[in-house]
Structures are given as C-alpha cells and as structure tokens.
Amino acid sequence: MSTDNAPQFIPKRITPTPEQVAIQTAQKKVVLIDANAGAAKTTTLALRLAEALHRGRAPERMLALVFTEAARVALRQRLLEVGVPLGVVKRLTVDTFDAFAAKVLLQLENMQVAAMRSDEELRPIAWEALEVVSEKYAHRYPLEINTTNGAIAEFLKLQLRTKARLDFQNPDFESNSLDDNLELLGMSRTHYLWLREYEGLRGADTGDIQFRAPFDATYDLVRMLDGDEPLRQQLPAFQIIVADELHDLNEASFRLLTMLIRRGNAFFCGAGDKDQVIYTWSGADHRFLRQRFEQEFPTLQRLPLTASYRYGPQLAQAVGVLKNKASVSALTRATHIELLEYDHAQPQACSAQLIAALEHAHAGTTAILLRDRDQAIRVETALFQSGIAYGLVDMNSYLLSLEVLMLRGMVAIARKDLHAIKSGPRRGEILEALVAFAEIPFTRAELQQAKADVANYPDLLEGFLTNQLAKSQNQDKAALTLAAVDYLRALPPDALAGDALQHIFGLMQLEQTARRIYVDPAQARVVARSLHGFIAVCSEAGVALGGFAGWLGEMEEAVTVSTGKAKLVIACIDQIKGLEYNHVILPYLAVDEFPRSKTDPLEEENRFYVAATRARDRLTLLTPEDPAYRSRYIAALQLKQKIIASKS
Ligand SMILES: Nc1ncnc2c1ncn2[C@@H]1O[C@H](COP(=O)(O)OP(=O)(O)OP(=O)(O)O)[C@@H](O)[C@H]1O
C-alpha cells in the first residue's frame, strides 16, 4: 500500500470511524482485528480491499478467505455496500478456505477428484477401513471393533479434527513408538489404526487421491506444500489478502494462510471474534487469533473495533453479560428486545406467538432463526396458515426433507395418487426417500435410473417398491414396509392422516430406522423430532388421507418466494454467521430445545450469541411462561423487567 496514509477510498452509505480508517490504511504487513459481533469487522475488511483497489491494485491480485458460505455472501455484500462495483467484486477471489484449496489442487494435480459431502457417503469407506484393521491387527492387539452409526460418526469427526489439527505432521511422529504417538494424539489404538487405513483407502499415502470429504482439500494441499518450497512457488501470489471469521481457524487453514501470505509477500488483514466459535469439532480454536499469529508474524499490529454498529446499547449490554465481556454500541438508536411468553403445554402456542410478533413487523428484513431444522415444521405451517410468504436460507422446506417425502410416498403408494404430485423431479425425490427409509441397497446408478423412471411414469412407483422389497436381503425390514403400505391401503379416504401416520411410525420403527441410516446420532435425533412434529401437525390440521397430497401440494406451492428476494426468511443459526436482519425472531427458547442435550455447552452458548447478535432493530425471544421450561440463556441475558413486561 502507498505510504500516503490518508484514505483515498470514500465509501458510500457509511462514514468510517477513525478505528476503521486506521485499518483501511494500515501500513503494517499483518493486521489483526479481534472484535465483537457487529463491530464492523467484515465492513472494515471490505474497506481495506476497496482502498487497495482505489490505489490501483488489480482485483485479480487480491484474495478474501472465509470459512462458510454465509460469510462469503456477507463479505461480497459489504463490498457492494461500501461502493465497490459488482463488476470489480466479481473479479476478486472470495472463497471459503476449502473451496480455494480445491481450486489450487485442481491446477496442481490437473484432475478432478470425487467430492464426498455427507457422512452417509463416507460410511461404506469407514466400514471397509475398519474391516481391514480387524483383518490385519485383531490377532496382535485387543481392538474395539464397533460398526454402529454412533461409532462411525465419532470416527468421522475424529478423522476430521486430527487432520485439521495436522496431528500426524508432528515432527516426532515418525520416530516415536506407537504408544507414544497414541498418547500424543489422544486417541485409542483402534481409532489410530482405523484412521491410517481410511487415509490409505483415500489414497493419501500414495498421493493417488480417490475422493475428498469436507476439509480434505485444505489438508491435502497443506501436506503437499509443507516442506516443498518449489511447489509453494506455484501457489498464486496475491498482494492483498484478507480473511474473515478467523475464530474458525485450525492448524491446516492457518498454515495455508501463512504460506499464501509469504508467497506473495502480501499485506494481510484478518478479523474474528472468539465468542463465535461453533466449529470446535473441526479443530477451530481461538488461540490462532490470540497467539499463533504473533508467533508467526512478531511485528503484526492489532487494531481495535470497539463498538457495535449493528445493534443498540441494550442488546450490546445483554450479550456482553451473556459472554462476560465488554460490549458497547456506537448507535444512538435502540435495538428493541421483546420477550414473548407461550404456554409450553400447547404445541402450537410458540408458533402462534411468532405470528403475533410478525404483526408488529416493520420495513426491512426479518429472520426466524432456528436451532435446527426440525423446528421449521411448526413455523412453516403457521406461516402458511396465516398466508405469510417466506424464503429459506441454505435449507429446504420441511416438506422436502427426506423423512416427510418418505411419508408422502407411503401415502401416495397406498392411494395410488403419485401423479397428483405434478413435478417429475419431486416424484424422483420421493422415490429416493422411500429407498432410503426402506433401506434398499441401491447403487448410485441404479438410484438415478429409478428416479428418472418414476419422474416420467408415476404409476411405476408401487410396482417398483414392491419388487425391490421382495428382492431385499433384509426381509424383516421389507415386511414392515409392506405391512405399512397394506395398512394405509385398507383405510378409507376420510381416515385422519395424523392417526394413520402415527401408526405407521410405529409399524416401520422409524425412530430406529433413522438411527440406522443417519451416521450422526444428532442428525438421527433431528429426524425423529421432525417426524413427530410433522405427524402432530397433520393431526392438528385434521387432514384426511384423501386430502393429504393436495394439502401438502398447496403448501409446497406457497413456498415459492425466491430466498434472495424474501423479506422474511427462515434459517438455521449455523448457516447465517456474518449476516444481519432488521428483525430477528428466536423461537423455542426452551429446555432441551436450546441448548440441545448432548452438545458442548460453550459452543451452544456461542451459537445463541451468534443468533442474538444478527438483529439490527428488533430481537424477539420466544420462551415458555413457566420459568422451569425456559432456556437458560433467557436468564443469562439479565434483561430488565420492563422488557419482559413488553409482551402485552
Ligand atoms: N462506520 C459505520 N457507520 C455506520 N454503520 C456501519 C459502519 N461500519 C459498519 N457499519 C454497519 O454495521 C453493521 C455490522 O457490520 P459488519 O457486518 O461488518 O460487522 P461484523 O463485525 O463483521 O459482524 P459479525 O461479527 O456478526 O460478522 C453493518 O450493518 C454495517 O453496514
């Protein structure tokens, strides 16, 4: 950057504070910002890029790295807001670490590697690796061979964390005894051997990579570059690098970042907030922000952003109390906090209060932020019943969740009315859901063919399912599914759908099925909650089997608002880091809803902090009136009595 320290870029819409200007024009090579939510970190990174652009740097020589898609969207949004033209924003590289690493690998390796995104896709490979472990080592060591989904989920998390932390790259690793290494890694012998075999199957030992799961691109790239100076010279050389959400840094991303900074001798500016760490399972650790940068770049400069520009003093104080830290607002306007209570014993009471809260809605955007997707069922239903349009951020409507599509498919088969679902691709998705829940072991190619067939010829569905089930190796499961179809078929059209679905929930043992098909037990619990919620909504609506498909079809048509344009959105908290809305509504702040059981308490509290700090003008908290059922975060905010009284 130029030695002239006056800012040359004057943004639109805002007047930068002296703190922001200091960062925008900082002369130090490495600048770090550790600041609260809403303190303008992303905006200031955008100002820094804009300043460099204004001083004639080419957009192609600039790189912006983040950890999540939402953070990527937020940074692009802030760039546009401060006045960088869209054409220029498009020429900048704004990527997640992993997507960026995958692009670099594509250049270096010159070949596409299969991407595996879900635990369900990785499960067969984990099984295979464990089988090899058993064959090779069972006669030498006592091993714990456990192939349940819980064990696989734990293994998949462990492998991700071990790789993200680059634990295998410890200098002593090769010379150490196995026992020493186990102690170093803090894992059992079985997990260690399992991980080695799994990485062997992935091709990580030979470099002939067979597939990449989330985060593997970063890991593979860093291993490839570590200790290979000539190869590092092939990294793109950026002059200006910024990185947002630095609290999500882990060892592998940190090393990639430092290599990139060194490669281009770049100016670097990064920002984060230690209280927004919600990905510890991926090795995220705020110590990178706090200590590691200093060790790596001793002359770095830390610059402050002291106050929130998103929310007013009242909310700043409440979240400061929650997180036990200094938290102030620079705004004179208030962010109104309202606490609305509902009767915990009434299933519809929370969503009814939510609709009431929307009646006071004012101009601007509103987000209903959920702890997890099962909470969408009642929210979406209430919005639909009230004729309120909404969009969804990075999630599907609950009507399109696998478990609800499966129930729709079961009813369609029994009533022979799949053709009533007009969209061909949707019919294909229903078939896929049935295949998953009936546990039919299809290959990917077989599934694609079957989906295409049923999309074009809906009447094939019934014959298809019965044929497949007749051939199934798991005859017990097949018999249960067929019994459920028979049961539904025998019911008259005016039978209540809720009662019928409740019965087949038991017949098909859907809760146990969810635990078998979802690798992550937390996911299986969400699916079970979702099924219970959907069946309850069907019961309350009093819908009959004959009208079931039409009822859902109508609702599906209503979810047509494209999310980009929607003024009211529903999103899960994990998907909206970095974003903000005029009005934020947090429903279901109840015991076991938020925090959820079996979660890390600190991470869960951080999640609540992220959610509450998305609000600009108004934050609505929906909580049971009986204090015994309230989420503990309500008390932790130490709201003033007059806010609580505002429910009237
Ligand atoms: N100088 C300013 N004057 C007024 N508003 C500002 C100023 N700088 C930033 N803002 C506004 O403050 C809000 C929060 O900014 P931003 O999203 O950059 O914060 P953040 O620290 O990145 O938040 P988070 O930690 O939640 O990602 C935005 O609406 C932004 O437009």
Short mmCIF file of all heavy atoms in Angstrom, two decimals, residues 13-17 20 35-44 47 74 78 81 244-245 247 273 276 305 308-310 331 577-580 613-614 616, ligand 1:
data_model
loop_
_atom_site.label_atom_id
_atom_site.label_comp_id
_atom_site.label_asym_id
_atom_site.label_seq_id
_atom_site.Cartn_x
_atom_site.Cartn_y
_atom_site.Cartn_z
N ARG A 13 -22.75 5.22 1.77
CA ARG A 13 -23.65 4.79 2.85
C ARG A 13 -23.13 5.02 4.26
O ARG A 13 -23.87 5.36 5.15
CB ARG A 13 -24.00 3.30 2.68
CG ARG A 13 -25.47 2.97 2.88
CD ARG A 13 -25.74 1.50 2.59
NE ARG A 13 -24.99 0.60 3.43
CZ ARG A 13 -25.40 0.11 4.57
NH1 ARG A 13 -26.58 0.42 5.04
NH2 ARG A 13 -24.66 -0.72 5.27
N ILE A 14 -21.84 4.80 4.50
CA ILE A 14 -21.33 4.97 5.86
C ILE A 14 -20.17 5.96 5.89
O ILE A 14 -19.52 6.18 4.88
CB ILE A 14 -20.82 3.63 6.46
CG1 ILE A 14 -19.76 3.02 5.56
CG2 ILE A 14 -21.95 2.68 6.76
CD1 ILE A 14 -18.92 1.96 6.23
N THR A 15 -19.97 6.53 7.07
CA THR A 15 -18.77 7.34 7.30
C THR A 15 -17.87 6.52 8.21
O THR A 15 -18.22 6.27 9.37
CB THR A 15 -19.14 8.66 8.01
OG1 THR A 15 -20.19 9.27 7.25
CG2 THR A 15 -17.95 9.58 8.13
N PRO A 16 -16.74 6.05 7.70
CA PRO A 16 -15.90 5.20 8.54
C PRO A 16 -15.43 5.93 9.80
O PRO A 16 -15.15 7.13 9.76
CB PRO A 16 -14.72 4.85 7.64
CG PRO A 16 -15.19 5.12 6.26
CD PRO A 16 -16.18 6.23 6.36
N THR A 17 -15.36 5.19 10.87
CA THR A 17 -14.86 5.75 12.12
C THR A 17 -13.33 5.83 12.04
O THR A 17 -12.72 5.16 11.20
CB THR A 17 -15.23 4.83 13.29
OG1 THR A 17 -14.60 3.57 13.04
CG2 THR A 17 -16.72 4.64 13.41
N GLN A 20 -11.88 2.45 11.94
CA GLN A 20 -11.99 1.79 10.64
C GLN A 20 -10.95 2.34 9.66
O GLN A 20 -10.32 1.58 8.92
CB GLN A 20 -13.40 1.96 10.06
CG GLN A 20 -14.42 1.07 10.75
CD GLN A 20 -15.83 1.30 10.21
OE1 GLN A 20 -16.35 2.40 10.25
NE2 GLN A 20 -16.46 0.24 9.73
N ALA A 35 -12.69 -8.60 17.53
CA ALA A 35 -13.75 -7.69 17.97
C ALA A 35 -15.11 -8.38 18.03
O ALA A 35 -15.30 -9.45 17.44
CB ALA A 35 -13.83 -6.50 17.01
N ASN A 36 -16.03 -7.73 18.73
CA ASN A 36 -17.35 -8.31 18.96
C ASN A 36 -18.18 -8.44 17.69
O ASN A 36 -17.90 -7.79 16.68
CB ASN A 36 -18.13 -7.42 19.94
CG ASN A 36 -17.55 -7.50 21.33
OD1 ASN A 36 -16.71 -8.35 21.62
ND2 ASN A 36 -18.00 -6.60 22.20
N ALA A 37 -19.24 -9.22 17.81
CA ALA A 37 -20.19 -9.36 16.70
C ALA A 37 -20.76 -7.99 16.38
O ALA A 37 -21.08 -7.22 17.28
CB ALA A 37 -21.31 -10.30 17.09
N GLY A 38 -20.86 -7.69 15.11
CA GLY A 38 -21.48 -6.43 14.70
C GLY A 38 -20.58 -5.21 14.81
O GLY A 38 -21.01 -4.09 14.54
N ALA A 39 -19.31 -5.42 15.19
CA ALA A 39 -18.40 -4.27 15.38
C ALA A 39 -17.80 -3.81 14.05
O ALA A 39 -16.83 -3.06 14.04
CB ALA A 39 -17.31 -4.62 16.38
N ALA A 40 -18.36 -4.28 12.95
CA ALA A 40 -17.97 -3.83 11.60
C ALA A 40 -16.69 -4.48 11.08
O ALA A 40 -15.98 -3.89 10.27
CB ALA A 40 -17.86 -2.30 11.55
N LYS A 41 -16.43 -5.70 11.50
CA LYS A 41 -15.22 -6.39 11.03
C LYS A 41 -15.28 -6.61 9.51
O LYS A 41 -14.35 -6.25 8.78
CB LYS A 41 -15.08 -7.76 11.74
CG LYS A 41 -14.86 -7.65 13.24
CD LYS A 41 -14.64 -9.00 13.89
CE LYS A 41 -15.86 -9.88 13.90
NZ LYS A 41 -17.01 -9.31 14.64
N THR A 42 -16.38 -7.21 9.06
CA THR A 42 -16.48 -7.53 7.63
C THR A 42 -16.48 -6.25 6.80
O THR A 42 -15.81 -6.17 5.77
CB THR A 42 -17.77 -8.34 7.37
OG1 THR A 42 -17.84 -9.39 8.33
CG2 THR A 42 -17.79 -8.94 5.98
N THR A 43 -17.21 -5.24 7.28
CA THR A 43 -17.24 -3.96 6.56
C THR A 43 -15.83 -3.40 6.44
O THR A 43 -15.43 -2.89 5.39
CB THR A 43 -18.11 -2.93 7.33
OG1 THR A 43 -19.36 -3.54 7.64
CG2 THR A 43 -18.34 -1.68 6.54
N THR A 44 -15.07 -3.49 7.52
CA THR A 44 -13.74 -2.88 7.51
C THR A 44 -12.78 -3.68 6.61
O THR A 44 -11.92 -3.10 5.95
CB THR A 44 -13.22 -2.75 8.96
OG1 THR A 44 -14.25 -2.13 9.74
CG2 THR A 44 -11.97 -1.91 9.04
N LEU A 47 -13.54 -2.37 3.34
CA LEU A 47 -12.92 -1.04 3.15
C LEU A 47 -11.45 -1.20 2.78
O LEU A 47 -10.91 -0.47 1.94
CB LEU A 47 -13.05 -0.19 4.42
CG LEU A 47 -14.45 0.32 4.77
CD1 LEU A 47 -14.44 1.01 6.14
CD2 LEU A 47 -14.94 1.29 3.69
N ALA A 74 -21.72 -12.56 3.01
CA ALA A 74 -21.67 -11.32 3.81
C ALA A 74 -20.55 -10.40 3.30
O ALA A 74 -20.74 -9.20 3.16
CB ALA A 74 -21.48 -11.65 5.28
N ARG A 78 -20.95 -6.66 1.76
CA ARG A 78 -20.34 -5.45 2.34
C ARG A 78 -19.51 -4.72 1.28
O ARG A 78 -19.46 -3.49 1.27
CB ARG A 78 -19.45 -5.80 3.53
CG ARG A 78 -20.17 -6.44 4.70
CD ARG A 78 -21.01 -5.46 5.51
NE ARG A 78 -21.70 -6.16 6.56
CZ ARG A 78 -22.96 -6.59 6.48
NH1 ARG A 78 -23.68 -6.36 5.39
NH2 ARG A 78 -23.52 -7.24 7.47
N GLU A 81 -21.93 -2.83 -0.69
CA GLU A 81 -22.50 -1.74 0.12
C GLU A 81 -21.56 -0.54 0.22
O GLU A 81 -21.99 0.60 0.18
CB GLU A 81 -22.83 -2.24 1.53
CG GLU A 81 -24.16 -2.99 1.61
CD GLU A 81 -24.33 -3.72 2.93
OE1 GLU A 81 -23.52 -3.50 3.87
OE2 GLU A 81 -25.24 -4.53 3.02
N ASP A 244 -11.84 -13.44 6.98
CA ASP A 244 -12.87 -13.11 7.96
C ASP A 244 -13.15 -14.36 8.79
O ASP A 244 -12.80 -15.47 8.40
CB ASP A 244 -14.15 -12.67 7.22
CG ASP A 244 -15.02 -11.77 8.09
OD1 ASP A 244 -14.66 -11.54 9.26
OD2 ASP A 244 -16.05 -11.28 7.60
N GLU A 245 -13.80 -14.18 9.94
CA GLU A 245 -14.19 -15.30 10.81
C GLU A 245 -12.96 -16.11 11.24
O GLU A 245 -12.97 -17.34 11.24
CB GLU A 245 -15.20 -16.22 10.11
CG GLU A 245 -16.30 -15.46 9.38
CD GLU A 245 -17.60 -15.37 10.16
OE1 GLU A 245 -18.00 -16.36 10.75
OE2 GLU A 245 -18.20 -14.28 10.19
N HIS A 247 -11.82 -16.78 13.93
CA HIS A 247 -12.01 -17.66 15.10
C HIS A 247 -12.22 -19.10 14.65
O HIS A 247 -12.11 -20.02 15.45
CB HIS A 247 -13.21 -17.18 15.93
CG HIS A 247 -14.37 -16.77 15.08
ND1 HIS A 247 -14.57 -15.46 14.71
CD2 HIS A 247 -15.35 -17.49 14.51
CE1 HIS A 247 -15.65 -15.40 13.94
NE2 HIS A 247 -16.13 -16.62 13.81
N ASP A 273 -13.85 -13.15 16.12
CA ASP A 273 -14.47 -12.91 17.43
C ASP A 273 -14.49 -14.24 18.16
O ASP A 273 -15.21 -15.15 17.75
CB ASP A 273 -15.90 -12.38 17.22
CG ASP A 273 -16.71 -12.29 18.50
OD1 ASP A 273 -16.14 -12.50 19.58
OD2 ASP A 273 -17.92 -12.01 18.39
N GLN A 276 -17.55 -16.47 18.76
CA GLN A 276 -18.37 -17.03 17.68
C GLN A 276 -17.86 -18.40 17.23
O GLN A 276 -18.25 -18.88 16.17
CB GLN A 276 -18.43 -16.06 16.50
CG GLN A 276 -19.18 -14.77 16.84
CD GLN A 276 -19.41 -13.89 15.61
OE1 GLN A 276 -19.88 -14.34 14.58
NE2 GLN A 276 -19.08 -12.62 15.74
N LEU A 305 -11.74 -2.55 16.98
CA LEU A 305 -13.05 -2.06 16.54
C LEU A 305 -13.89 -2.20 17.81
O LEU A 305 -14.26 -3.32 18.18
CB LEU A 305 -13.60 -2.90 15.39
CG LEU A 305 -12.94 -2.72 14.03
CD1 LEU A 305 -13.48 -3.72 13.02
CD2 LEU A 305 -13.14 -1.29 13.48
N SER A 308 -20.31 -1.87 18.56
CA SER A 308 -21.20 -2.45 17.55
C SER A 308 -21.89 -1.35 16.74
O SER A 308 -22.35 -0.35 17.29
CB SER A 308 -22.28 -3.28 18.23
OG SER A 308 -23.38 -3.42 17.36
N TYR A 309 -21.96 -1.56 15.44
CA TYR A 309 -22.73 -0.66 14.57
C TYR A 309 -23.99 -1.36 14.07
O TYR A 309 -24.67 -0.86 13.22
CB TYR A 309 -21.87 -0.17 13.40
CG TYR A 309 -21.00 0.98 13.83
CD1 TYR A 309 -19.79 0.74 14.49
CD2 TYR A 309 -21.42 2.29 13.65
CE1 TYR A 309 -19.02 1.79 14.93
CE2 TYR A 309 -20.64 3.35 14.10
CZ TYR A 309 -19.45 3.10 14.73
OH TYR A 309 -18.70 4.14 15.17
N ARG A 310 -24.23 -2.55 14.60
CA ARG A 310 -25.42 -3.29 14.15
C ARG A 310 -26.57 -3.11 15.11
O ARG A 310 -27.68 -2.85 14.72
CB ARG A 310 -25.09 -4.78 14.03
CG ARG A 310 -26.29 -5.63 13.65
CD ARG A 310 -25.92 -7.08 13.45
NE ARG A 310 -24.96 -7.23 12.39
CZ ARG A 310 -23.95 -8.11 12.42
NH1 ARG A 310 -23.78 -8.90 13.46
NH2 ARG A 310 -23.11 -8.19 11.42
N LEU A 331 -24.29 3.06 18.49
CA LEU A 331 -25.53 3.60 17.94
C LEU A 331 -26.33 4.34 19.00
O LEU A 331 -26.32 3.96 20.18
CB LEU A 331 -26.38 2.47 17.35
CG LEU A 331 -25.71 1.61 16.28
CD1 LEU A 331 -26.65 0.52 15.80
CD2 LEU A 331 -25.24 2.46 15.11
N LYS A 577 -23.93 -17.12 9.95
CA LYS A 577 -22.84 -16.36 10.56
C LYS A 577 -22.43 -15.23 9.62
O LYS A 577 -22.23 -15.45 8.43
CB LYS A 577 -21.64 -17.27 10.80
CG LYS A 577 -21.70 -17.96 12.14
CD LYS A 577 -20.59 -18.94 12.25
CE LYS A 577 -19.41 -18.40 12.98
NZ LYS A 577 -18.33 -19.37 13.16
N GLY A 578 -22.32 -14.03 10.16
CA GLY A 578 -21.86 -12.90 9.34
C GLY A 578 -23.00 -12.10 8.74
O GLY A 578 -22.78 -11.00 8.28
N LEU A 579 -24.22 -12.66 8.72
CA LEU A 579 -25.35 -11.94 8.11
C LEU A 579 -26.10 -11.13 9.17
O LEU A 579 -25.89 -11.33 10.37
CB LEU A 579 -26.29 -12.94 7.43
CG LEU A 579 -25.65 -13.81 6.33
CD1 LEU A 579 -26.65 -14.77 5.74
CD2 LEU A 579 -25.04 -12.94 5.23
N GLU A 580 -27.00 -10.24 8.74
CA GLU A 580 -27.78 -9.45 9.69
C GLU A 580 -29.16 -9.16 9.13
O GLU A 580 -29.37 -9.21 7.92
CB GLU A 580 -27.06 -8.14 10.03
CG GLU A 580 -26.92 -7.20 8.85
CD GLU A 580 -26.15 -5.92 9.20
OE1 GLU A 580 -25.50 -5.86 10.24
OE2 GLU A 580 -26.23 -4.98 8.40
N THR A 613 -27.07 -11.71 18.03
CA THR A 613 -26.36 -10.53 17.51
C THR A 613 -26.58 -10.31 16.00
O THR A 613 -25.89 -9.50 15.40
CB THR A 613 -24.84 -10.64 17.78
OG1 THR A 613 -24.37 -11.90 17.26
CG2 THR A 613 -24.54 -10.54 19.26
N ARG A 614 -27.51 -11.05 15.41
CA ARG A 614 -27.84 -10.78 13.99
C ARG A 614 -28.83 -9.62 13.87
O ARG A 614 -29.12 -9.15 12.78
CB ARG A 614 -28.49 -12.01 13.31
CG ARG A 614 -27.66 -13.28 13.22
CD ARG A 614 -26.33 -13.09 12.61
NE ARG A 614 -25.31 -12.95 13.63
CZ ARG A 614 -24.11 -12.41 13.43
NH1 ARG A 614 -23.77 -11.96 12.27
NH2 ARG A 614 -23.24 -12.33 14.41
N ARG A 616 -30.71 -6.02 14.02
CA ARG A 616 -30.40 -4.59 13.93
C ARG A 616 -31.41 -3.75 14.72
O ARG A 616 -31.03 -2.96 15.55
CB ARG A 616 -30.44 -4.12 12.46
CG ARG A 616 -29.25 -4.58 11.64
CD ARG A 616 -29.43 -4.23 10.17
NE ARG A 616 -29.62 -2.80 9.98
CZ ARG A 616 -28.65 -1.90 9.94
NH1 ARG A 616 -27.39 -2.31 10.05
NH2 ARG A 616 -28.89 -0.62 9.78
N1 LIG B 1 -18.93 3.44 10.05
C1 LIG B 1 -20.12 2.85 10.11
N2 LIG B 1 -21.22 3.59 10.33
C2 LIG B 1 -22.43 3.02 10.39
N3 LIG B 1 -22.64 1.72 10.20
C3 LIG B 1 -21.59 0.93 9.97
C4 LIG B 1 -20.27 1.45 9.91
N4 LIG B 1 -19.44 0.42 9.67
C5 LIG B 1 -20.20 -0.69 9.59
N5 LIG B 1 -21.49 -0.39 9.76
C6 LIG B 1 -22.63 -1.32 9.78
O1 LIG B 1 -22.50 -2.16 10.92
C7 LIG B 1 -23.16 -3.39 10.66
C8 LIG B 1 -22.28 -4.55 11.12
O2 LIG B 1 -21.14 -4.60 10.31
P1 LIG B 1 -20.40 -5.96 9.94
O3 LIG B 1 -21.33 -6.96 9.39
O4 LIG B 1 -19.23 -5.56 9.12
O5 LIG B 1 -19.95 -6.44 11.39
P2 LIG B 1 -19.11 -7.73 11.82
O6 LIG B 1 -18.22 -7.31 12.93
O7 LIG B 1 -18.44 -8.33 10.64
O8 LIG B 1 -20.26 -8.67 12.34
P3 LIG B 1 -20.22 -10.27 12.64
O9 LIG B 1 -19.22 -10.48 13.73
O10 LIG B 1 -21.58 -10.55 13.09
O11 LIG B 1 -19.83 -10.92 11.37
C9 LIG B 1 -23.48 -3.41 9.19
O12 LIG B 1 -24.83 -3.07 9.02
C10 LIG B 1 -22.62 -2.28 8.62
O13 LIG B 1 -23.19 -1.70 7.47
#
